C-alpha cells in the first residue's frame, strides 16, 4: 500500500486551502462538489462534508482544495483536516468512484520550441507528475510507462518529464517538422486515457517526495540552504519555461564552489550550459557576496 503525505498550501482566496498530496489521487481528472449530495461519486468528499465548516470540495490530480464557511479560521482546523485526509488515504479509502465519475475533461497538448534546437517541449493542460524525472535510455524507464513508450519512437534520444510538460530530445536523423505532430498526438491520447505516467512506487518518485526533500534540506548547512532557495525562486521557473530543470548537487565552502545538475532542454546544449552557468554564478556571487566563487553545471 502506498504511503501518502500532505502539504498544506494557502491560496489567493483566504477561505480556500489546498491539501497537496505527494502522489496522484485521480487519473488526471478534476472534480468539484458543492454539497454532500453532489459528492455521491466521492466517498472522500462525502466524509469531508461531515465537517460543519466545509462549504465546497475540489479534488484534482494531486490535491484536495476545500472552501470553508466563515464560522472557523483555517489556522484553527487545518492540521486536523490534513491528518484526516492523510489517514483516509493511507487506510485505502476511495477518492472517486470511477463508474460514477463525470465524463473526463479533454486533454490538450501544444508543442513549444526551446533554446536547444534538439529539444521540443510538449505542454499539457493537466498536471502530469509531482516531481521531475529524466530518462536517457529505455533502460531507465522501468517505473515510467510513458517514457518507455516514447523510446519506441526511433528518433527519441531522451525524455524529461516535469509538472505539466514533456521535453523530448531527438536524434539528428529526424526533423521536428516531420515528427512534432505525431509526438504531440501520442502524448495527448496517452494522458487523456488516464494511463500511468510514473509509478507511485518508483524509487526516484519516493526519493523526490516532499517529505524526503524537506528532510534532506534540513540536514544541509546554512549556505547550501540559501543557494537552494535562490535557485528555487530565481532560476528554476525560467529554466522550466524553457523545458528544462535545475537541481542543486553540492556546495564546497573551501573552494566556494557550487555544483548544479541541468536536465531536459538545458542538458547537453553547450550554449544553454554556458549561459546558465555564468548567469547562476553571477547571481550567487552578487547575492551571497564572498561565499561563492564558481559554479559547475553538470548535464543530468
Amino acid at each position: 500500500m502506498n504511503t501518502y503525505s500532505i502539504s498544506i498550501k494557502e491560496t489567493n482566496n483566504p477561505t480556500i486551502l489546498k491539501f497537496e498530496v505527494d502522489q496522484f489521487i485521480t487519473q488526471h481528472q478534476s472534480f468539484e462538489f458543492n454539497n454532500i449530495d453532489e459528492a455521491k461519486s466521492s466517498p472522500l468528499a462525502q466524509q469531508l462534508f461531515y465537517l460543519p465548516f466545509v462549504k465546497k470540495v475540489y479534488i484534482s490530480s494531486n490535491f484536495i482544495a476545500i472552501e470553508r464557511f466563515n464560522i472557523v479560521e483555517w489556522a484553527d482546523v487545518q492540521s486536523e483536516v490534513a491528518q484526516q485526509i492523510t489517514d483516509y488515504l493511507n487506510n485505502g479509502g476511495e477518492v472517486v468512484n470511477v463508474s460514477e465519475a463525470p465524463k473526463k475533461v479533454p486533454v490538450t497538448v501544444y508543442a513549444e520550441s526551446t533554446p536547444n534546437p534538439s529539444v521540443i517541449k510538449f505542454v499539457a493542460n493537466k498536471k502530469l507528475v509531482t516531481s521531475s524525472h529524466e530518462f536517457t535510455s529505455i533502460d531507465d524507464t522501468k517505473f515510467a510507462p510513458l517514457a518507455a513508450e516514447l523510446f519506441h519512437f526511433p528518433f527519441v534520444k531522451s525524455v524529461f518529464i516535469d509538472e505539466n510538460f514533456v521535453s523530448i530530445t531527438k536524434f539528428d536523423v529526424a526533423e521536428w517538422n516531420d515528427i512534432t505532430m505525431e509526438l504531440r498526438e501520442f502524448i495527448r491520447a496517452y494522458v487523456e486515457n488516464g494511463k500511468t505516467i510514473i509509478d507511485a512506487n518508483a524509487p526516484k518518485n519516493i526519493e523526490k517526495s516532499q517529505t524526503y526533500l524537506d528532510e534532506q534540506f534540513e540536514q544541509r548547512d546554512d549556505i547550501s540552504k540559501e543557494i537552494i532557495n535562490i535557485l528555487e525562486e530565481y532560476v528554476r521557473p525560467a529554466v522550466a519555461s524553457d523545458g528544462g530543470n535545475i537541481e542543486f548537487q553540492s556546495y564546497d565552502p573551501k573552494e566556494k564552489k557550487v555544483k548544479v545538475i541541468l536536465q531536459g532542454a538545458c542538458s547537453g546544449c553547450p550554449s544553454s550550459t554556458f549561459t546558465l552557468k555564468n548567469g547562476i554564478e553571477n547571481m550567487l556571487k552578487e547575492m551571497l557576496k564572498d561565499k561563492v566563487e564558481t559554479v559547475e553545471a553538470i548535464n543530468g
Side-chain angles (χ1 to χ4, degrees), residues 114-120 170 176 265 269 271:
T114 74
N116 186 339
S118 297
V119 180
I120 274 190
K170 70 173 181 64
W176 283 122
C269 179
S271 61

Side-chain angles (χ1 to χ4, degrees), residues 5 26 43 89 145 174 187 194 203 224 243 247:
S5 63
T26 74
L89 294 174
I187 294 169
S224 293
E247 291 186 354

Side-chain angles (χ1 to χ4, degrees), residues 120-144:
I120 274 190
K121 175 182 175 184
F122 295 88
V123 185
N125 65 333
K126 297 286 183 182
K127 189 161 187 173
L128 306 178
V129 292
T130 56
S131 59
S132 60
H133 302 265
E134 185 166 43
F135 309 95
T136 55
S137 77
I138 198 169
D139 296 333
D140 303 332
T141 63
K142 180 180 178 182
F143 297 96

Side-chain angles (χ1 to χ4, degrees), residues 9 18 32 34 43 46 62 82 117 158 194 213 226 232 259 300:
K9 307 286 185 182
K18 283 175 65 176
E32 185 175 303
N34 294 294
Q46 283 192 315
N62 72 317
S158 66
L213 293 175
E226 287 189 64
E232 287 288 329
K259 288 185 179 181

